[in-house]
Amino acid sequence: MRLVEVEHVIALVRRRGLETVLRELADYIAEDYRRWAEFDKSARYASHSPKGVIELMPIADAAAFGFKYVNGHPANQAEGLQTVTGFGVLADVVTGYPFLIAEMTIMTALRTAAMSALAAGYLARPGARTMAIIGLGAQAEFQAEAFRALLGIDRLRIFDIDPDATAKFRANLADRGFAIHVAESGPDAAEGADIITTVTADKRCARVLSDNMIGAGVHINAVGGDCPGKTELQPAILDRSSVFVEYLPQTRLEGEIQQMPKDFPVTEIWQVIAGEAEGRTGADQVTIFDSVGFAIEDFSALRYLSDTTNAPDLHRSADLLARPSDPRNLFGVLDLSPAYGIHA
């Protein structure tokens, strides 16, 4: 089985270039969303605890089964740990044998950012150049880079309640060609922005954006509300917006629309990408991508890694599958015979 570790993903990004990887990931995601009907889909399994959530995200087409293990523990950062970590697996549907296991912490950040920018290409006003980012945790820089790579965003208005997060963001993106305005508040960040990305981490029903902060024509990329009891937008914003989601049964439980009636109208983003529904229809329309992350995006990321890590220095082999010469004689693999000096 091919094992793609953290060092291999870092080497891949450096070799191909961050913007290239983000564009290529967006292409893989779009390709898979266009064949939506080919996938066996389900909402993710989630095990919630007082400190966070551990999830499994399964998906399959006729050729491969994939899943991602991922956690979300906002309090981890106080202990010097990542809020989100993950790994993923691809397996051959015909034999059931897994053929790829890969790190999915960096890759989740990359695919989430690529998905955000891909959706914004259909939902934001043409010519958008300014984006507000509210919440400057681990995902923020990836979002900025993806929106520049796919949409040409080069002006950022940023805000976080933690000065250290702001300093981290500015240091990471120094000399990378962005004009950055450090806002004094959320409303200050949102003022004049074509796109507003909310990507906060706290597991609570927050009001990161209130209705009076949202002008006509704005696109909201709502990334941080991604589990039950965790939201970022005042419901009044959703009431006057066109809302787009990934997989409705999952988003009803976890997204911003968990605040809304069950018959609240939304459009699944695959329909827009496949040309079966409209995205933005007018300059004054307020659009929301209520993104919680869906398994197709992880499948796309794993498929991308499978295609791009063939070089010997971009993976190693992992021996996780027993291979008895006689498939019926698994016990014989242990070889407990006295001839080997081993006794049962």
Side-chain angles (χ1 to χ4, degrees):
M1 172 189 316
R2 187 186 305 177
L3 174 62
V4 179
E5 299 178 282
V6 172
E7 65 181 279
H8 301 130
V9 170
I10 293 170
L12 178 70
V13 172
R14 289 176 175 172
R15 183 169 303 176
R16 300 179 82 88
L18 178 57
E19 290 196 357
T20 296
V21 169
L22 287 164
R23 292 191 192 102
E24 290 173 344
L25 273 173
D27 288 343
Y28 270 65
I29 294 168
E31 180 182 336
D32 286 336
Y33 267 113
R34 289 189 185 104
R35 57 189 190 97
W36 178 263
E38 298 178 21
F39 284 95
D40 180 11
K41 300 173 287 290
S42 64
R44 57 186 158 213
Y45 166 79
S47 176
H48 293 274
S49 66
K51 294 292 186 179
V53 61
I54 294 174
E55 299 171 335
L56 292 178
M57 300 173 68
I59 193 87
D61 64 8
F65 172 89
F67 76 86
K68 182 176 76 174
Y69 167 97
V70 64
N71 76 296
H73 286 71
N76 273 4
Q77 59 183 323
E79 304 297 326
L81 302 174
Q82 290 287 305
T83 297
V84 175
T85 64
F87 69 89
V89 173
L90 282 182
D92 183 351
V93 165
V94 175
T95 65
Y97 273 45
F99 58 87
L100 174 75
I101 182 168
E103 92 82 34
M104 283 292 287
T105 305
I106 297 170
M107 288 304 298
T108 292
L110 288 165
R111 72 81 161 145
T112 300
M115 183 66 217
S116 292
L118 174 65
Y122 295 94
L123 303 179
R125 287 180 296 200
R129 285 294 177 270
T130 302
M131 179 167 70
I133 305 179
I134 302 176
L136 301 176
Q139 177 65 214
E141 294 91 342
F142 294 91
Q143 292 282 325
E145 292 283 358
F147 274 81
R148 179 172 61 183
L150 273 70
L151 274 71
I153 292 292
D154 56 8
R155 295 189 290 271
L156 304 175
R157 301 177 64 85
I158 63 172
F159 176 71
D160 195 290
I161 58 173
D162 182 0
D164 289 340
T166 303
K168 178 269 301 181
F169 182 92
R170 296 183 71 185
N172 282 338
L173 294 190
D175 303 320
R176 293 192 61 83
F178 290 102
I180 300 176
H181 167 73
V182 179
E184 297 180 356
S185 64
D188 180 26
E191 186 175 353
D194 302 303
I195 298 167
I196 303 173
T197 289
T198 56
V199 61
T200 59
D202 285 349
K203 188 179 178 182
R204 62 191 179 92
C205 292
R207 294 291 182 265
V208 176
L209 294 183
S210 57
D211 190 39
N212 62 353
M213 295 167 61
I214 309 304
V218 168
H219 171 60
I220 301 171
N221 178 41
V223 181
D226 58 2
C227 71
K230 186 169 183 274
T231 60
E232 297 177 317
L233 309 186
Q234 186 178 32
I237 303 173
L238 283 80
D239 272 329
R240 65 184 179 94
S241 302
S242 299
V243 180
F244 300 81
V245 304
E246 289 143 316
Y247 181 55
L248 182 56
Q250 183 172 294
T251 311
R252 287 279 187 214
L253 298 174
E254 301 178 345
E256 297 297 331
I257 62 171
Q258 66 184 276
Q259 309 174 81
M260 309 305 287
K262 293 195 179 300
D263 60 351
F264 181 77
V266 301
T267 302
E268 289 184 325
I269 194 66
W270 75 266
Q271 297 173 285
V272 180
I273 295 171
E276 297 186 14
E278 291 185 303
R280 175 171 290 273
T281 58
D284 291 338
Q285 180 185 17
V286 176
T287 56
I288 298 173
F289 180 42
D290 186 4
S291 173
V292 299
F294 184 52
I296 279 183
E297 296 148 25
D298 300 308
F299 185 93
S300 303
L302 290 165
R303 191 166 64 83
Y304 176 74
L305 287 179
S306 182
D307 288 348
T308 58
T309 60
N310 293 297
D313 61 334
L314 293 180
H315 72 273
R316 68 182 179 92
S317 294
D319 188 13
L320 298 180
L321 303 174
R323 296 182 301 277
S325 56
D326 177 356
R328 298 167 299 178
N329 188 16
L330 180 61
F331 188 83
V333 172
L334 299 175
D335 204 339
L336 300 176
S337 67
Y340 282 84
I342 301 171
H343 301 276

